[in-house]
Amino acid sequence: MDEPNEMQLEDNKTSMEKNIKRKLKTPAQLMALENFYNDHKYPTEEMKFELANELVLTEKQISGWFCHRRLKDKRLMRDEVCANNGRQDRSSGVVQDRGSGLGQDSCGSTKHGGDYRYLDPKEVESNGVYNHELSVANMNYAHTNLYTENDSETDNTSSENSSSLQERLFLQGHDPYDTEPSRYITQNGALPPLNPKGYKPSGYLKLKGEIEHAAVTAVKNQLGRNYLEDGPLLTVDFDTIPPEAFECQTANSIKESYHVANPSLAKRQSNLNSRYDPYFNKSSSQDLQMEGGDFGPSHGSDFQDKQDKKSRQRIKQRTTFQGRAVRTNPLPGKSFPPDLYIDSTVEAPAYNSTRNHRIGAKHGVERMKSDSASNPNDLYEENNNPAIEQEGPLLHDYNNSNVKNVRTSEYVKSKPSNSIRNSRISMDTEERGLSERMAKEEKRNGIRKVKKPSHESDGGRIPSKETMVAKRAKVDLLRQYDIKQEPVAEIEPRKTQRSAVEMPSSFSEDETAETSSSLD
DNA sequence: TTGTGTTTTATTGCCTCC
DNA sequence: GGAGGCAATAAAACACAA
């Protein structure tokens, strides 16, 4: 009777002893996991096994990581919903209509009616997509294949996997939640067809997208050239729009929406950025060195450290990453998807300011670069880690996965961003993928007693999806394209703009709704 | 240098589904 | 009943401010 317990205790002991110090995943592992997670949020056993083998992790670790990763997304979504609800309360019905009939519910859950109820998260995330032989090394290729396959598919939102949908949407520049100015509004202010390629989101995406299009279009039209010609002007001038334009204080509310609705958000965003910036800045400064062709000699020196610190402090005050690496094709030999260029050239620079934060966001993976630059020997703690020894295979594959990476960066890039939106980006997929589960969760939560006030419910958490996206974007771009960042000095002029945190960088849904509501 | 806050990882228990 | 997933929790790792 007690034996199993004792055995268990012993096992736990040993396992605890083994894991006295929990080990952080190596950047390579994280990157692989993240990339894989993009495609398969619910990996099958086989997938986990393969992943575990490839990454030299246990299946348990893989499972745990995915589990936590999902939780993380979920949490972000929850926060976002909370934040949105807070703001929506102050806005008029347009916003709320947006979710009508869609089972929009209160903070912490997303019940989706319509098409998504047919989605089985598991099936969608794993089986539905995973038709390729799995190998971490092939993940990106699989992804690519998935793309092309889906592109040729007819619209069947209810049956397609959410990831592919998401990707396709992004690939086509049609984030249903998003309204990218360069795409969604033409020079004459008319709405372009929702889907030039024939894809049309159904259900929630469809309704939401259309509503937003109308709303956004209205605002965009009103803002006129500033918006159409140059994004940043929009945000910069946004504050100066006479109150009459919005019939009352909404002009301010737009500007302050984030702070008002969720002051902690801005604060946390700020914290986040400040926290993450150094990582990037570090790499940034190193990139500058790299640009000069000076890679190694100063690594690890005190001088270097001090310089880094100083430069970090200086650069931290600036806009760090302008996504220019994406804007200019760093690899003349390699083709960038047209979207990228369109996006880069046409997209309102206002987005850049926010993108800066996103791309500049730190993550362990990001450190991979900076660390590798600063201390090659310290790239990985585990020199004996086969996965790292396989850095060849592992990283090499990523290096080869241009399409994937471009997609990823595009994924980041093409989105007008703020912390709220960032969450949504990932949730587009996951909400649907998890909708069923979430519904159950809802159900369960109604019955289940909360043991403790969860820290998750503070509603102020900064979506680290942002960091994920930023991480991927930066790492992918920098690593795979060996991008040389442009000197900060070139970027500096933008620092006159308010930070992404402070200003609504784009027509996010809420802002749009607020403005459009007053337009009515 | 230290305290604080955040993120990440690991573990455990419960629930749902097959 | 087992497997898988989620939520809660603890703790390590990390970054930043004072």
Side-chain angles (χ1 to χ4, degrees):
Chain A
M1 270 236 276
D2 289 338
E3 217 174 87
N5 288 336
E6 287 178 2
M7 290 283 285
Q8 221 170 11
L9 285 176
E10 280 186 8
D11 285 345
N12 287 340
K13 260 188 181 176
T14 53
S15 66
M16 287 294 285
E17 285 175 0
K18 281 179 187 174
N19 297 322
I20 279 178
K21 303 247 176 185
R22 67 177 182 83
K23 253 183 178 176
L24 292 177
K25 305 280 188 299
T26 67
Q29 288 172 331
L30 282 176
M31 179 186 276
L33 287 169
E34 283 292 341
N35 281 331
F36 197 88
Y37 179 80
N38 281 341
D39 294 341
H40 315 289
K41 292 185 172 50
Y42 292 86
T44 64
E45 247 183 288
E46 182 189 4
M47 296 158 79
K48 288 177 187 172
F49 178 76
E50 292 287 346
L51 253 184
N53 283 340
E54 293 282 350
L55 303 180
V56 195
L57 296 170
T58 65
E59 290 185 62
K60 195 176 180 182
Q61 282 178 304
I62 299 295
S63 294
W65 188 90
F66 273 89
C67 182
H68 290 118
R69 189 64 184 76
R70 289 190 295 266
L71 286 175
K72 185 179 170 183
D73 276 353
K74 202 170 182 177
R75 187 180 60 215
L76 296 179
M77 177 175 63
R78 203 177 292 174
D79 291 346
E80 177 213 350
V81 173
C82 287
N84 284 344
N85 285 346
R87 273 174 284 163
Q88 287 173 12
D89 288 344
R90 277 179 290 280
S91 58
S92 59
V94 173
V95 176
Q96 296 173 3
D97 273 349
R98 182 184 58 206
S100 64
L102 300 169
Q104 181 184 17
D105 65 359
S106 59
C107 172
S109 67
T110 46
K111 294 180 219 158
H112 297 294
D115 295 320
Y116 306 119
R117 67 174 176 272
Y118 299 115
L119 293 176
D120 175 22
K122 263 185 166 178
E123 186 178 341
V124 162
E125 298 297 343
S126 296
N127 301 333
V129 186
Y130 190 65
N131 292 327
H132 308 276
E133 198 173 347
L134 171 72
S135 167
V136 172
N138 290 336
M139 284 190 298
N140 298 320
Y141 295 115
H143 197 126
T144 304
N145 293 337
L146 179 65
Y147 247 165
T148 54
E149 286 168 12
N150 283 339
D151 278 343
S152 62
E153 286 174 3
T154 56
D155 179 31
N156 186 6
T157 310
S158 62
S159 63
E160 70 182 343
N161 73 81
S162 58
S163 291
S164 65
L165 169 61
Q166 181 187 32
E167 291 153 5
R168 193 169 58 186
L169 290 174
F170 290 151
L171 187 65
Q172 297 176 0
H174 285 284
D175 179 358
Y177 293 158
D178 192 14
T179 52
E180 186 176 358
S182 60
R183 307 273 179 77
Y184 283 97
I185 192 165
T186 60
Q187 286 297 323
N188 60 8
L191 270 177
L194 273 180
N195 182 5
K197 286 188 181 181
Y199 168 75
K200 202 172 181 180
S202 60
Y204 181 53
L205 297 182
K206 178 181 175 184
L207 179 56
K208 189 171 194 284
E210 287 179 354
I211 290 173
E212 285 190 356
H213 285 176
V216 170
T217 303
V219 177
K220 288 171 183 173
N221 284 338
Q222 194 170 30
L223 291 173
R225 68 171 282 283
N226 282 341
Y227 184 79
L228 295 177
E229 288 185 4
D230 196 352
L233 286 178
L234 169 63
T235 54
V236 171
D237 294 344
F238 213 57
D239 296 338
T240 64
I241 290 175
E244 309 90 79
F246 296 95
E247 290 187 349
C248 59
Q249 315 91 324
T250 49
N252 280 341
S253 70
I254 292 166
K255 181 177 68 177
E256 300 169 359
S257 59
Y258 289 127
H259 305 283
V260 173
N262 193 356
S264 64
L265 196 64
K267 182 169 182 274
R268 300 182 67 167
Q269 178 75 53
S270 173
N271 290 338
L272 181 84
N273 291 331
S274 62
R275 176 181 176 179
Y276 288 168
D277 274 349
Y279 275 110
F280 170 73
N281 290 332
K282 186 175 180 181
S283 64
S284 185
S285 60
Q286 287 162 346
D287 288 341
L288 293 179
Q289 292 178 348
M290 292 170 67
E291 182 134 13
D294 183 15
F295 281 79
S298 59
H299 292 152
S301 69
D302 291 336
F303 177 77
Q304 176 68 32
D305 289 342
K306 288 175 184 175
Q307 289 299 316
D308 276 347
K309 282 180 182 176
K310 286 180 182 177
S311 62
R312 264 182 277 167
Q313 284 180 347
R314 285 195 301 267
I315 300 175
K316 192 162 70 175
Q317 307 302 327
R318 306 174 182 176
T319 309
T320 52
F321 192 86
Q322 299 292 334
R324 304 172 81 95
V326 186
R327 197 169 296 121
T328 56
N329 187 353
L331 296 181
K334 299 184 180 181
S335 61
F336 270 49
D339 277 4
L340 216 52
Y341 285 118
I342 295 172
D343 204 15
S344 302
T345 54
V346 181
E347 188 181 358
Y351 299 156
N352 291 339
S353 62
T354 53
R355 210 178 298 142
N356 298 338
H357 288 272
R358 302 172 69 182
I359 298 176
K362 155 265 175 184
H363 196 276
V365 173
E366 197 172 288
R367 295 173 56 202
M368 178 166 52
K369 178 172 178 61
S370 58
D371 287 349
S372 64
S374 63
N375 189 1
N377 295 331
D378 200 25
L379 175 57
Y380 301 111
E381 294 177 7
E382 312 164 326
N383 288 335
N384 57 343
N385 188 341
I388 288 152
E389 291 172 359
Q390 296 171 1
E391 182 180 345
L394 207 63
L395 298 179
H396 174 71
D397 290 329
Y398 287 111
N399 287 337
N400 286 336
S401 59
N402 294 333
V403 175
K404 158 86 174 181
N405 294 319
V406 168
R407 178 192 62 80
T408 304
S409 59
E410 178 192 24
Y411 173 84
V412 176
K413 193 172 164 327
S414 59
K415 302 293 157 297
S417 64
N418 54 42
S419 59
I420 301 302
R421 271 207 39 74
N422 294 342
S423 309
R424 180 169 297 288
I425 289 171
S426 65
M427 292 310 130
D428 293 350
T429 301
E430 195 148 331
E431 278 182 5
R432 287 178 288 124
L434 293 173
S435 60
E436 203 174 81
R437 203 173 300 274
M438 294 287 285
K440 294 172 189 173
E441 298 282 338
E442 267 303 297
K443 219 174 177 181
R444 191 193 302 177
N445 288 338
I447 306 167
R448 221 168 165 179
K449 199 172 73 177
V450 178
K451 296 177 185 177
K452 253 189 184 178
S454 171
H455 62 281
E456 298 174 4
S457 57
D458 59 5
R461 213 167 260 280
I462 290 301
S464 52
K465 186 71 181 179
E466 182 175 4
T467 68
M468 295 303 181
V469 172
K471 167 185 65 184
R472 285 198 299 271
K474 176 170 168 54
V475 170
D476 287 345
L477 288 172
L478 294 184
R479 285 183 61 86
Q480 277 126 51
Y481 295 108
D482 197 20
I483 289 168
K484 293 177 181 176
Q485 287 182 258
E486 296 181 24
V488 176
E490 288 190 29
I491 308 171
E492 196 166 8
R494 294 182 188 279
K495 75 183 176 184
T496 56
Q497 296 180 8
R498 287 181 295 153
S499 70
V501 178
E502 289 176 291
M503 66 181 178
S505 62
S506 66
F507 289 97
S508 70
E509 54 189 66
D510 301 305
E511 297 154 2
T512 300
E514 286 182 357
T515 51
S516 62
S517 66
S518 58
L519 284 175
D520 296 336

